[in-house]
Amino acid sequence: MTRLQSADITGISARLNEYDEELLAKTGRTLRGLACYAVRLSEEDIAAGMANIRIGMVPIGWGMGVIGGFSETIRDILIHLGFQSFVSGNSNVSGLAEALEKRADIIFLSDDDHFVALNVECRRVVENAEATGKGFAAGLNLMSGGLQGQETLVIGCGPVGTSAAMTLADYGALISVYDIEPSRSRQLARALDRKQNIKIRIESDLCRALSKHRFLVEATNSADIIRAKDLSPTTYIAAPGMPLGLNPAAKKKAFARLLHDPLQTGVAIMGLAELKPILLQKG
């Protein structure tokens, strides 16, 4: 997981309603609606049970330490979606014990390497990287009007890009991948072939690949690798990568067809993915 900085998440809580409006304009869904779509729940499915689910966010101070405002931002996103949520007063193991004592149904924890949601009742773990890839692929499918049969490029074949590619395959996209490390592209190609019997194209030149694709998932941790001249007026981009891989001119050119956020989509998918088995258990 790319480590966020405090500056990356400053103001997210205050702008959640504004972000809903942006998503609604681009995808036809709010953040909660996008998360429901990604995990295949309807908003009617979750309405009754969601408000009764308690989610605890436990700050973890190991490694490089707690990111300022991170736990509170997670809490605010989850409350915005409709969950009950709190940040434990203690951190680390004491915080985990506190969350359990407060009868949390789901517990969020993050360290330098992993950001997970633990479903206490169902003994299930959802990783942020997987959830983020799934969410942005779902958003691209909605924003584009459907990716069935459309050539779609995934840039970056790490955990987020891998999750996005597998989700795009479910939507019927024709997938190409590019990674600065060719071995990662080959690894993803083998994984898709093995798990879903899907063949994908491996691109070796990013500029050439960008010129051939109108639908992009930018899942790298490199800034400014995509320029305005690399984009057509009809290029659609889902960009879970941090920092954003588009330079300022490219971001301006693609803004109406660009999905990008540092935290909101991944957190929303994590919450709804962990809610789903609870709802299924309760019938």
Side-chain angles (χ1 to χ4, degrees):
M1 185 184 83
T2 300
R3 183 177 170 87
L4 296 171
Q5 304 298 317
S6 295
D8 296 328
I9 60 176
T10 298
I12 284 178
S13 297
R15 295 196 302 270
L16 285 168
N17 288 331
E18 180 183 334
Y19 192 56
D20 267 346
E21 293 174 4
E22 180 183 328
L23 283 177
L24 195 60
K26 293 179 178 180
T27 71
R29 308 278 180 123
T30 62
L31 182 61
R32 186 165 90 162
L34 171 59
C36 285
Y37 176 77
V39 303
R40 291 175 166 78
L41 286 172
S42 72
E43 294 200 54
E44 292 74 20
D45 290 335
I46 68 172
M50 191 177 196
N52 298 320
I53 300 300
R54 289 174 60 78
I55 302 181
M57 178 64 205
V58 178
I60 301 296
W62 302 323
M64 295 178 68
V66 176
I67 299 168
F70 181 80
S71 297
E72 293 75 16
T73 302
I74 301 300
R75 176 200 63 201
D76 293 344
I77 294 169
L78 293 167
I79 290 173
H80 177 75
L81 293 171
F83 291 106
Q84 297 181 50
S85 186
F86 63 90
V87 177
S88 63
N90 297 305
S91 60
N92 304 329
V93 174
S94 296
L96 179 58
E98 178 187 336
L100 290 170
E101 288 169 359
K102 289 182 176 179
R103 304 186 67 80
D105 302 289
I106 300 165
I107 299 173
F108 278 60
L109 312 97
S110 178
D111 63 14
D112 294 351
D113 300 311
H114 295 281
F115 178 19
V116 299
L118 311 178
N119 186 315
V120 175
E121 185 175 347
C122 302
R123 300 183 180 181
R124 169 184 160 98
V125 179
V126 172
E127 283 268 2
N128 174 260
E130 179 183 355
T132 299
K134 180 186 289 289
F136 276 89
L140 184 62
N141 194 58
L142 287 169
M143 184 168 59
S144 66
L147 292 169
Q148 177 73 41
Q150 299 287 353
E151 294 189 354
T152 306
L153 175 66
V154 177
I155 308 166
C157 298
V160 174
T162 295
S163 174
M166 291 185 173
T167 304
L168 291 168
D170 291 337
Y171 294 132
L174 304 178
I175 302 165
S176 301
V177 298
Y178 170 84
D179 195 283
I180 195 169
E181 294 289 342
S183 61
R184 285 157 56 110
S185 297
R186 293 192 294 270
Q187 183 178 1
L188 176 50
R190 288 193 297 269
L192 270 169
D193 189 19
R194 182 174 65 252
K195 293 182 179 180
Q196 295 172 262
N197 195 29
I198 289 174
K199 309 294 184 186
I200 65 175
R201 178 188 299 141
I202 295 175
E203 299 283 355
S204 59
D205 183 282
L206 179 58
C207 291
R208 187 164 61 244
L210 288 169
S211 71
K212 297 189 295 184
H213 293 86
R214 291 178 51 232
F215 305 103
L216 313 176
V217 175
E218 189 276 301
T220 75
N221 59 3
S222 300
D224 299 342
I225 60 171
I226 298 176
R227 304 157 298 177
K229 69 179 183 179
D230 295 320
L231 307 176
S232 80
T234 58
T235 301
Y236 288 82
I237 308 167
M242 284 296 297
L244 178 63
L246 282 70
N247 71 17
K251 180 180 177 181
K252 181 178 180 180
K253 181 176 181 177
F255 181 77
R257 303 173 308 282
L258 170 66
L259 296 179
H260 173 68
D261 67 62
L263 205 53
Q264 299 93 305
T265 296
V267 169
I269 305 302
M270 292 168 76
L272 270 291
E274 291 290 38
L275 174 65
K276 187 172 183 177
I278 295 174
L279 295 179
L280 292 174
Q281 276 192 354
K282 294 179 178 179

